[in-house]
């Protein structure tokens, strides 16, 4: 619901109720717009310790030339002092290619591949990351996109851990599992505590949930493979030719359980702060939706030849 023009949401609601549409806006495109691009640097080390492969990787990504719009009919004071546009038009929005993104992350990995002789394997990946962005598609809170400060990005999850494992069981059964844990992403705050209009502030991704662990999910899978003997012998083939072309068909039956412990993972947090002269928002900082599935089951069948 909220964007960098979130202060206008409530004005639009009033216009919808009155049935009066605002004046059309003018969009102007910068004629020397540069293509969006990103530069990435990565460095890491890997070491085999017994059967386990350990790894540590550093990654940094810089995105440049993202396109966004800002109102040209406004004095460069940092407030919303819009100037009237002749000809019964609304705001004049000009595009610039000044949106920037940044990501810095460290990846710690440990893995052992599944082999028929050992019949077990696992992988573990821990990510420590920082995601930032400057500007948005529409920018109304600062004179230009260049004047907009870097803020946390929409995918700015500080800690993320993924654990997976696989083990062979008797009767040719194979069990595997996936554990996903994360500290969650931020949410926007539409700050009208000092009022609307010039005093309204859109604080992008300035809110964080109270709990440290915001996402947790455990998935399990049990598979049974049946080997079906077959061959591709045809008319005119000798017995030795038919034997050499013998092939095994495989049928696999799987049972999967997603979110085994039925963990409730939340998202879309309420971020509206009403004026101080009004009643506080009782839902501020509370989630409005579920992220990911509740406990669910799935049966699958695959046939390979």
């Amino acid at each position: 619901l909220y964007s960098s023009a979130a202060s206008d949401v409530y004005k639009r609601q009033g216009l919808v109720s009155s049935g009066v549409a605002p004046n059309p806006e003018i969009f102007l495109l910068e004629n020397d717009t540069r293509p969006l691009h990103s530069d990435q640097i990565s460095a890491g080390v890997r070491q085999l310790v017994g059967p386990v492969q350990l790894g540590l990787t550093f990654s940094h990504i810089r995105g440049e030339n993202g396109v966004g719009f800002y109102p040209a009919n406004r004095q460069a004071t940092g407030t919303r002092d819009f100037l009237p546009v002749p000809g019964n038009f609304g705001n004049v929005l000009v595009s610039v290619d000044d949106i920037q993104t940044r990501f810095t992350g460290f990846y710690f990995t440990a893995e052992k591949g599944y082999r028929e002789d050992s019949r077990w394997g696992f992988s573990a990946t821990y990510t420590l990351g920082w995601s930032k962005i400057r500007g948005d598609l529409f920018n109304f809170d600062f004179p230009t996109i260049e004047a907009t400060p870097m803020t946390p990005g929409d995918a700015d999850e500080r800690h993320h851990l993924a654990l997976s494992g696989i083990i062979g069981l008797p009767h040719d059964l194979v069990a595997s599992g996936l554990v996903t844990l994360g500290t969650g992403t931020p949410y926007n705050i539409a700050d009208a505590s000092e009022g609307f209009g010039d005093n309204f502030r859109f604080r992008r991704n300035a809110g964080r949930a109270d709990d440290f662990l915001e996402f947790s999910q455990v998935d399990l899978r049990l598979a049974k493979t049946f080997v079906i003997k077959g061959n591709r012998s045809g008319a005119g083939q000798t017995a030795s030719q038919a034997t050499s072309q013998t092939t095994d068909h495989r049928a696999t039956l799987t049972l999967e359980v997603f979110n085994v412990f039925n963990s409730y993972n939340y998202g879309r947090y309420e971020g509206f702060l009403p004026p101080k002269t009004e009643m506080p928002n009782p839902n501020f900082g509370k989630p409005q939706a579920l992220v990911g599935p509740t406990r669910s089951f799935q049966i699958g069948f695959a046939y390979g030849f």
Side-chain angles (χ1 to χ4, degrees), residues 244-264:
S244 65
Q245 295 187 23
T246 297
T247 179
D248 291 339
H249 294 198
R250 295 176 178 270
T252 303
L253 183 66
T254 60
L255 172 63
E256 295 173 291
V257 185
F258 301 101
N259 198 357
V260 175
F261 300 106
N262 203 30
S263 301
Y264 285 87

Side-chain angles (χ1 to χ4, degrees), residues 122-137:
F122 79 94
S123 69
T125 303
Y126 166 69
T127 303
L128 174 64
W130 293 265
S131 172
K132 295 183 179 181
I133 189 170
R134 184 193 309 278
D136 206 342
L137 179 59

Side-chain angles (χ1 to χ4, degrees), residues 35 61 70 91 116:
I61 305 173
Y70 74 92
N91 295 321
E116 287 297 333

Side-chain angles (χ1 to χ4, degrees), residues 258-282:
F258 301 101
N259 198 357
V260 175
F261 300 106
N262 203 30
S263 301
Y264 285 87
N265 302 304
Y266 298 104
R268 209 178 72 197
Y269 285 80
E270 170 65 58
F272 174 61
L273 285 173
K276 295 178 180 179
T277 55
E278 299 180 8
M279 294 291 294
N281 182 0

Side-chain angles (χ1 to χ4, degrees), residues 70-83 139-147 198 201:
Y70 74 92
N73 60 309
R74 182 179 61 179
Q75 297 184 19
T77 59
T79 58
R80 301 172 186 275
D81 46 357
F82 292 96
L83 303 175
N139 301 266
F140 281 65
D141 292 296
F142 295 90
T144 64
I145 293 180
E146 287 184 323
D198 293 346
R201 286 295 175 265

